[in-house]
Amino acid sequence: MGCCKNVIASLVCTAVLCGAGVAAYMYGPWNKDNDSGSEETTTTLTAKSSTCKNCCNGLESNCDLPIDQVTWAMVHNAMSSEDDFFYAANNDLSLEKALVEGYRGLMLDSCLCNGDTIVDVIQDFVTGNDEDTEENTEEQYLGFCHGTCGAGSRKPETVLNNIKTFLDVNPNEVLILEFEVGEGTLELLYEAINDSGLEKYVLRDEENDGTVTTWPTLQQLISSNRRLLLFAHNGGMESCATSTCPEGIFYTYDHFSQTNWNDGDTCELRGSVDTIPDKHGFFLMNHWKNDENLDLPSKTNAEEFNTYEFLSTRLGKCDERVPNIVAVDFWSTGDVLKFVEDQNTKIGGGGDAVVAASRSGSIRH
């Protein structure tokens, strides 16, 4: 849900220090004709939790919990991985592998791309032409990228089709997608979602006026086969209380509060003082921290942050409410899934985990 402060400058600095890497990326797969990802099969997208036929997102005790009382493991900048040949990637492995392992939330950034590579980005930066060149090209297309398509992008049709396949073959799994919408991409993103066939799984609010406060249980969503929640912000998405949102897409900040970016120590909130966690259904903990020098993703930090002890210590500092979404970089590092499973076991079994109280409201499921 966050973006590097100066991603292009950071990428250029790193590339200058790693000239050989730049050369390798000159012919990398960052154009619309050479997608870095591939469509997965039903076999490769079968969740490890699928062996439990009575489970909801991996646990039987999750089934009767409202979705805002379940703890969700989420992948930050999920499209960005070394698997998919991203430069300065946020993750080692792909989002598809994260779903199989047990992550049930994905953060995705939409962009307008024009086929530039990392070399083009560097050349523009060095020559002073470091404006957003995608705005000036006639041939634009939608991609999932972070900051600049030249550092890596994935085809939305591939990603969304793989997510649909995952839902097709895993009927007891519920997913959250949170989009950071790039300028000029909202309509294209909406079209891509519909074209993928995901529409049949999308949870819809009857009003979508930003006031939903009571959410269905996981079992209700599974029984109705509305197992996909879509949230989005930026790029023309505004509060559904004051504007008309695309059907099936919730405005993120109508329902989310979140901790600060690049903060691994506290539960301090990002946003205004009025953005208190118990006013929203979901409380997101941004549990990642970039490299302090280059402001790029840091696996070294993830190796510390993603340990069970570090996660437990940080959540213990949340006095008003424990976050129910944990977003991490380098998702395959550490104990995140085990920690989230244990949190949900405590919640479902009446343990000490702090959860949001149910409130009045209605939503179609």
Side-chain angles (χ1 to χ4, degrees):
M1 199 178 289
C3 187
C4 295
K5 292 178 290 187
N6 193 346
V7 65
I8 294 177
S10 298
L11 286 167
V12 170
C13 181
T14 303
V16 169
L17 295 174
C18 306
V22 173
Y25 275 82
M26 184 175 294
Y27 303 102
W30 302 285
N31 62 73
K32 65 177 181 179
D33 298 318
N34 188 12
D35 185 19
S36 52
S38 60
E39 291 196 14
E40 303 288 338
T41 67
T42 56
T43 301
T44 58
L45 284 172
T46 300
K48 288 188 174 181
S49 57
S50 64
T51 55
C52 181
K53 303 303 181 183
N54 296 318
C55 287
C56 303
N57 281 17
L59 290 172
E60 288 189 47
S61 57
N62 281 343
C63 292
D64 292 332
L65 293 175
I67 56 177
D68 62 332
Q69 294 186 20
V70 177
T71 305
W72 301 76
M74 180 172 278
V75 183
H76 178 231
N77 289 337
M79 66 284 161
S80 172
S81 73
E82 292 187 7
D83 258 4
D84 294 301
F85 306 104
F86 273 65
Y87 195 78
N90 289 83
N91 301 282
D92 288 327
L93 305 180
S94 70
L95 64 89
E96 288 87 354
K97 292 176 182 176
L99 293 176
V100 170
E101 292 296 323
Y103 283 82
R104 295 296 173 260
L106 303 174
M107 291 178 166
L108 298 167
D109 296 2
S110 62
C111 312
L112 281 179
C113 301
N114 65 358
D116 279 356
T117 70
I118 188 66
V119 175
D120 297 315
V121 174
I122 294 170
Q123 288 175 341
D124 287 343
F125 184 85
V126 171
T127 60
N129 183 27
D130 58 342
E131 298 298 322
D132 186 359
T133 57
E134 281 89 0
E135 294 180 359
N136 303 317
T137 183
E138 293 182 1
E139 188 176 5
Q140 299 173 328
Y141 56 94
L142 183 68
F144 288 145
C145 81
H146 185 57
T148 174
C149 299
S153 69
R154 292 200 62 185
K155 287 183 177 180
E157 56 265 38
T158 301
V159 171
L160 297 174
N161 285 341
N162 286 343
I163 292 171
K164 179 182 178 296
T165 299
F166 178 85
L167 290 170
D168 289 343
V169 300
N170 298 288
N172 290 339
E173 306 300 327
V174 178
L175 302 182
I176 293 176
L177 303 185
E178 202 288 315
F179 295 99
E180 182 171 315
V181 183
E183 185 177 354
T185 67
L186 181 58
E187 184 175 345
L188 293 172
L189 176 61
Y190 189 66
E191 291 175 359
I193 292 169
N194 286 338
D195 290 345
S196 71
L198 280 171
E199 183 274 338
K200 70 176 184 178
Y201 291 121
V202 173
L203 176 66
R204 284 173 166 74
D205 177 18
E206 292 176 351
E207 302 295 337
N208 200 9
D209 58 1
T211 62
V212 175
T213 52
T214 295
W215 297 86
T217 66
L218 281 175
Q219 185 60 67
Q220 286 173 323
L221 295 186
I222 290 168
S223 297
S224 63
N225 209 24
R226 293 291 183 175
R227 296 181 287 119
L228 180 63
L229 287 81
L230 302 179
F231 296 90
H233 70 284
N234 288 357
M237 278 294 298
E238 299 177 355
S239 173
C240 301
T242 57
S243 63
T244 302
C245 292
E247 186 179 1
I249 302 180
F250 298 98
Y251 177 63
T252 300
Y253 300 125
D254 284 341
H255 306 288
F256 276 62
S257 52
Q258 64 173 322
T259 63
N260 285 318
W261 305 336
N262 285 310
D263 176 7
D265 298 320
T266 75
C267 256
E268 294 180 4
L269 294 175
R270 180 176 180 82
S272 70
V273 293
D274 295 327
T275 308
I276 57 176
D278 59 356
K279 287 177 62 177
H280 298 77
F282 300 93
F283 183 17
L284 165 67
M285 184 170 75
N286 291 303
H287 195 66
W288 47 268
K289 188 173 183 180
N290 287 346
D291 176 89
E292 292 183 0
N293 295 319
L294 295 174
D295 195 25
L296 292 174
S298 170
K299 187 172 182 179
T300 299
N301 287 338
E303 288 170 348
E304 178 184 12
F305 279 34
N306 295 359
T307 63
Y308 198 106
E309 181 180 4
F310 200 99
L311 285 159
S312 182
T313 298
R314 187 177 182 195
L315 262 71
K317 297 178 181 178
C318 301
D319 296 328
E320 293 188 59
R321 178 184 174 190
V322 172
N324 57 356
I325 300 180
V326 181
V328 299
D329 280 344
F330 298 97
W331 64 262
S332 54
T333 298
D335 312 308
V336 179
L337 290 175
K338 175 59 177 172
F339 178 81
V340 167
E341 179 182 5
D342 286 353
Q343 281 291 110
N344 282 325
T345 300
K346 291 178 185 178
I347 296 167
D352 296 331
V354 180
V355 297
S358 295
R359 309 173 186 89
S360 61
S362 64
I363 191 167
R364 185 171 68 215
H365 52 79

